[in-house]
Amino acid sequence: QLGAMSTVLEFPKNGAHSPSRVLFIASNGNYYATTNLGGDSNDGALIEFNSATQTTTTIASFAADTTGSQPGGPLLSTADGWLYGFAISGGDGFGTIYRFHITTRQFECLVRFSGPGGIRPGIPFVDLGADQPTYGGLQTGSDGLIYGVTPAGGLGGGGVVFRLRTTSPLQDWKDQYLGDPEAL
């Protein structure tokens, strides 16, 4: 029936709760989201929701001193199975970029923002034309690199557009000439 709504998931007060941003469906058919609270350090969590079994699993816990805290902004999925996202705080205090591999469950911090390189990626800022919060996000460019924005930081303090390399130049060469970025 049009307009009928039913709850498929409730977040408990203990554990991963207070979902922070967009629910994202990956190529494996599962849904992924971040929460502001919960996880091992109560710095936020990455959750996986399996709609077939109606089960939710905390698959990664954020920690302010390593991966960052308060995950924000939408997740970016890449063809090689990685989910990329922002943590608004933590790292060196200015936020981080993290990634999680859907298959291997590897979770790591890639970038710690430093002020001149940007501050607080993924934090909502108001688009004056739309009067709505905008969260920024990560996008894959035509060159295969990941691009994003921060609403503050940079040398002038007004924010930055950044480009993120997720492979080394040597891996790129191996992929181009040997067909395998991890070739020995």
Side-chain angles (χ1 to χ4, degrees), residues 144-159:
L145 300 177
I146 295 174
Y147 290 80
V149 298
T150 67
L155 296 177

Side-chain angles (χ1 to χ4, degrees), residues 22-90:
V22 179
L23 189 64
F24 174 80
I25 187 166
S27 58
N28 64 3
N30 290 335
Y31 293 86
Y32 294 86
T34 56
T35 65
N36 282 324
L37 299 171
D40 296 338
S41 304
N42 205 33
D43 287 329
L46 178 63
I47 62 163
E48 178 180 59
F49 175 67
N50 183 318
S51 61
T53 62
Q54 300 287 298
T55 56
T56 302
T57 306
T58 296
I59 54 176
S61 293
F62 289 87
D65 57 339
T66 56
T67 55
S69 62
Q70 296 178 301
L75 295 170
L76 170 69
S77 177
T78 58
D80 55 0
W82 289 100
L83 295 176
Y84 291 85
F86 293 128
I88 295 169
S89 189

Side-chain angles (χ1 to χ4, degrees), residues 10-173:
E10 284 189 32
F11 292 90
K13 290 246 179 193
N14 57 355
H17 64 285
S18 297
S20 53
R21 301 291 179 263
V22 179
L23 189 64
F24 174 80
I25 187 166
S27 58
N28 64 3
N30 290 335
Y31 293 86
Y32 294 86
T34 56
T35 65
N36 282 324
L37 299 171
D40 296 338
S41 304
N42 205 33
D43 287 329
L46 178 63
I47 62 163
E48 178 180 59
F49 175 67
N50 183 318
S51 61
T53 62
Q54 300 287 298
T55 56
T56 302
T57 306
T58 296
I59 54 176
S61 293
F62 289 87
D65 57 339
T66 56
T67 55
S69 62
Q70 296 178 301
L75 295 170
L76 170 69
S77 177
T78 58
D80 55 0
W82 289 100
L83 295 176
Y84 291 85
F86 293 128
I88 295 169
S89 189
D92 294 327
F94 298 113
T96 65
I97 298 175
Y98 63 87
R99 71 178 181 176
F100 176 83
H101 197 275
I102 294 171
T103 305
T104 66
R105 302 298 206 215
Q106 181 180 347
F107 182 50
E108 61 188 349
C109 176
L110 295 177
V111 173
R112 292 171 177 258
F113 285 92
S114 63
I119 295 176
R120 303 241 190 254
I123 197 167
F125 57 95
V126 176
D127 176 350
L128 297 177
D131 288 331
Q132 297 185 51
T134 303
Y135 296 98
L138 299 168
Q139 296 292 322
T140 304
S142 59
D143 58 4
L145 300 177
I146 295 174
Y147 290 80
V149 298
T150 67
L155 296 177
V160 301
V161 173
F162 62 85
R163 177 176 47 219
L164 174 66
R165 177 180 288 281
T166 60
T167 59
S168 72
L170 178 59
Q171 287 174 310
D172 293 343
W173 183 90

